[in-house]
Amino acid sequence: RSEPALRGRVMALYSVVFLGSTPIGAPVVGWVAQHFGPRAGLTLGGAAVLAAALIALWLGSRRHVFEVRSKPLALEGGDAGSVAG
């Protein structure tokens, strides 16, 4: 739902958050796998994914992020190809 002129910035922020979590999560999962075994590391990763999915669904239901649009974006606010700037 970001403005067309800001979509590149939104995707850049998404990439930083997605890739930026690796330096924090990888050592934690490595430590857990070293001390408790590989299954514990995989279980921790699965639990993190499940928790993130549940949080995303909860936030999405509160903010109506997942609502289905009945008409294309081009019909709502003018020309979808135009960029303000």
Side-chain angles (χ1 to χ4, degrees), residues 39 51 73:
R39 286 186 182 173
L73 286 174

Side-chain angles (χ1 to χ4, degrees), residues 48-74:
V49 168
L50 183 62
L54 291 174
I55 290 170
L57 286 173
W58 179 68
L59 288 174
S61 68
R62 291 183 63 220
R63 296 182 184 173
H64 304 289
V65 172
F66 299 117
E67 81 183 22
V68 177
R69 293 184 173 269
S70 60
K71 54 185 172 180
L73 286 174

Side-chain angles (χ1 to χ4, degrees):
R1 294 188 180 218
S2 62
E3 296 179 25
L6 300 176
R7 286 192 182 142
R9 294 177 187 165
V10 170
M11 290 308 298
L13 182 61
Y14 171 79
S15 297
V16 166
V17 170
F18 181 70
L19 296 173
S21 64
T22 302
I24 297 169
V28 171
V29 172
W31 181 85
V32 168
Q34 183 177 5
H35 286 81
F36 302 105
R39 286 186 182 173
L42 288 172
T43 302
L44 178 62
V49 168
L50 183 62
L54 291 174
I55 290 170
L57 286 173
W58 179 68
L59 288 174
S61 68
R62 291 183 63 220
R63 296 182 184 173
H64 304 289
V65 172
F66 299 117
E67 81 183 22
V68 177
R69 293 184 173 269
S70 60
K71 54 185 172 180
L73 286 174
L75 298 177
E76 286 183 8
D79 185 17
S82 67
V83 176

